[in-house]
Amino acid sequence: MAQQRVLPQSKETLLQSYNKRLKDDVKSIMDNFTEIIKTAKIEDETQVSRATQGEQDNYEMHVRAANIVRAGESLMKLVSDLKQFLILNDFPSVNEAINQRNQQLRSLQEECDKKLIALRDEISIDLYELEEEYYSSRIYKEACSPVRPGHGFHTAMLPNCSPVLQFP
């Protein structure tokens, strides 16, 4: 259920004026439409000639149709005003929308973090396997052997296999 919010007096007055405009415009449309229907009926005996009565009825229908259009335009303006009022004054729903978006973005961030951690773990495992393969390969053993053939001096091994020259 929607909760009833307490509005400041100016907002309450504004909403009451919107309600009055709505009722007035709908009543105007209904009254004018009813009068157009009544005018469309042909009366048998009148004090004026049929041509004059027809012109008068035609004019009255045009005026009433214009009143209906005016009331319809007023209702469209009222809808626009209500939308603007809702957008500018409905802070709880705006805050709720912001909170929902924050929650969506946080869950997306958590999902990305999990994927990055999984990717980091995979890369770490692959790097470890590659290092194992490299350090057990023939290339590494030749590059890091303690005696380099043909050089006449010995090399000492460092942890990263950088040879350091040692003279005998």
Side-chain angles (χ1 to χ4, degrees):
M1 286 205 147
Q3 66 180 23
Q4 185 70 23
R5 290 189 294 263
V6 178
L7 297 174
Q9 188 63 34
S10 63
K11 289 181 183 177
E12 188 65 37
T13 305
L14 185 61
L15 288 175
Q16 287 174 353
S17 75
Y18 288 159
N19 197 19
K20 182 180 180 330
R21 281 174 51 192
L22 173 67
K23 288 179 181 179
D24 290 346
D25 289 337
V26 170
K27 184 179 183 320
S28 174
I29 290 173
M30 289 296 295
D31 291 346
N32 283 298
F33 189 73
T34 304
E35 289 301 317
I36 287 175
I37 298 298
K38 286 180 184 176
T39 305
K41 293 180 182 177
I42 299 174
E43 296 179 13
D44 289 333
E45 294 185 27
T46 60
Q47 294 180 355
V48 293
S49 69
R50 282 191 179 262
T52 307
Q53 185 64 41
E55 284 300 316
Q56 182 181 351
D57 291 346
N58 185 26
Y59 178 71
E60 183 179 348
M61 285 183 188
H62 277 83
V63 170
R64 293 199 178 273
N67 288 341
I68 290 173
V69 169
R70 184 209 49 80
E73 288 174 347
S74 178
L75 285 173
M76 290 188 339
K77 173 71 170 119
L78 177 63
V79 168
S80 174
D81 291 347
L82 284 171
K83 286 179 181 179
Q84 183 178 8
F85 176 82
L86 184 64
I87 289 170
L88 296 177
N89 295 307
D90 194 13
F91 295 117
S93 66
V94 170
N95 288 339
E96 183 180 333
I98 289 171
N99 289 337
Q100 286 177 350
R101 183 66 178 153
N102 281 342
Q103 188 176 11
Q104 288 173 344
L105 292 174
R106 282 194 179 106
S107 65
L108 180 64
Q109 178 186 7
E110 289 174 7
E111 184 180 329
C112 288
D113 287 347
K114 288 177 184 177
K115 287 181 180 180
L116 285 172
I117 289 171
L119 184 62
R120 181 199 64 193
D121 293 344
E122 265 185 57
I123 290 174
S124 176
I125 290 169
D126 290 344
L127 181 62
Y128 180 77
E129 290 173 359
L130 286 171
E131 285 176 346
E132 287 292 316
E133 183 68 27
Y134 174 72
Y135 292 134
S136 65
S137 72
R138 194 181 112 221
I139 296 171
Y140 172 78
K141 289 179 182 176
E142 288 177 3
C144 295
S145 64
V147 178
R148 287 194 157 179
H151 285 97
F153 51 84
H154 298 285
T155 57
M157 298 257 306
L158 292 178
N160 64 356
C161 188
S162 299
V164 176
L165 295 177
Q166 289 182 343
F167 295 101

